[in-house]
Amino acid sequence: MEQGTLFVKLESAREALPVQGRVVISQTVNGVRVLEIELVTDEDGLTQPVTLDAPDRSISLDPASTQQAWAAYDVEAYADGYSDILLEGVQVYSGVEAYAPISMLPIFPSQAVSPTAVTADTGSTSREAQQDILHTTIPAPAIRGGSASGPAPLSTCATQPLVLQSVFIPQYITVHLGKPQNSAANETVSFPYYIKNVCSSEIYPTWPENAIRANIYAQISLALNRVYTEWYPSKGYNFNITNSTQYDQYYVSGRNIFTNISRIVDDIFNTYLRRVGDFAPYYAEYCNGTTVTCKGMSQWGTVSLAESGLSPIQILRRYYGNNFELVTTNDIRAIPSSYPGTPLRLGSTGNNVSIIQRQLNRIAKNYPAIGQQSVDGVFGATTQSAVRTFQKIFNLTQDGVVGKSTWYKISYIYVAVKKLAELGSESEPYPGGSGDAPGSGTDSIQQGAVGAQVAAVQYYLSYLAQTFYPTIPNIVPDGIFGAQTRSAVIAFQNTFGLTADGIV
């Protein structure tokens, strides 16, 4: 047996709040628990890394091997005021650091029903009597036996995909946890996290770095093609992509991520593959290359090509052709500031340093280990220390330099904590006065209603959607109960096991 490492991060409100709690890492063999390690998270929601046994690394580098290339562990998370979480099958590989970012859901005083259990390999939901723990099972990596063989037909609808006016990196992407035509939950996550999840779910983190990078470029391009062409919205669907490998690529709700994959994605998440002379991201078809072949990239083939010394673009051109190039865009929607183009480090000065200092100061209210500093536009030792602490908390390379990945992560977290603040105590009170429920008897609020109580309902739904429950669509409080508000109410009712009638 060789060894890998695992650490856990408890967070809430889409990374805006660290959660202090208790974590139990265990392993069960033939029904007997053979390992149990109990940890506590610090003020930034982090546990210490734990060294764990894992199978030999060589297994994950052999396409003919039938042995399991990872060790499976269970992670339980507990924190006062939050639902308990159980992740089954967290994957640990030899020589690789894994981390499990766990999104904790608060228990609200009026929440009288049990939380929903999510089984990650199907995306299905179920509600069992007396259930009191959120439960996710992480399936085996899906090194493809099937192919994402081009945009698959979805229905008899003849509507052609729309094409946006520019290629951009979306801050969020909405994933349908099933085939497009099947009833399943949607999950909205940040675009970088989506790519980290897909890569962690589709290939082994032990592969050579250039092989991992080539796969990530293909995964980014495929996803951006779906966004750019508005493939699913143009057909009436309310999501951007599915997690079905028959149509798109594999995303597993709630799974653990690998540090090396995470850091590569942070470095290249805004770079995609396109044909020379074209504008759109290329629909980069790929398959496993062993049991199934396709006209696109072989996932296992990238390993041998990387081992022979090929760069990521050379690997991609081997499969897609020499008339392809990698393109980087700094158009990242819904993030307030664009990367200045060169890293900020000790000795840097100017407005961009002031931006980082101001954003870190605001983030430090939620993550106090970062500390406060003067906003003077001078990148001194205090700013360097704050940057390193931020990088440690959010699993970035701890070099104290604000490169592209750190810049955008600071911007993303700044948006998250500000949004939470604007919905809470740092903003004006919610519209609608006291927010009292409708009166007794048959009084209710439904489509067509207007006024302060409607605005209050919309505010609460917006707060839940933006902070804790991405299954609820975000709406703008305007005091008018229209179709969008009704859809948000129905999503809320489904999330909490209420009658889904759209009536409050």
Side-chain angles (χ1 to χ4, degrees), residues 192-231:
Y193 174 77
Y194 166 77
I195 298 297
K196 294 174 186 181
N197 186 301
V198 167
C199 189
S200 296
S201 301
E202 288 210 343
I203 68 171
Y204 293 148
T206 53
W207 286 3
E209 181 169 325
N210 282 350
I212 294 174
R213 285 178 176 265
N215 278 272
I216 290 173
Y217 284 131
Q219 291 157 357
I220 292 170
S221 299
L222 191 153
L224 290 182
N225 179 275
R226 287 305 203 207
V227 172
Y228 177 73
T229 61
E230 296 191 301
W231 182 257

Side-chain angles (χ1 to χ4, degrees), residues 14-34:
R14 300 198 185 186
E15 299 185 82
L17 294 173
V19 174
Q20 290 183 278
R22 182 169 61 93
V23 171
V24 177
I25 299 173
S26 63
Q27 188 176 49
T28 301
V29 177
N30 297 325
V32 178
R33 182 170 285 198
V34 297

Side-chain angles (χ1 to χ4, degrees), residues 86 88 112-119 122 124-137 494-497:
L86 169 62
E88 286 187 324
V113 298
S114 299
T116 301
V118 178
T119 303
T122 63
S124 62
T125 61
S126 63
R127 187 175 301 280
E128 300 177 2
Q130 307 303 317
Q131 183 175 303
D132 61 356
I133 189 166
L134 293 173
H135 177 195
T136 296
T137 301
N494 284 327
T495 298
F496 288 93

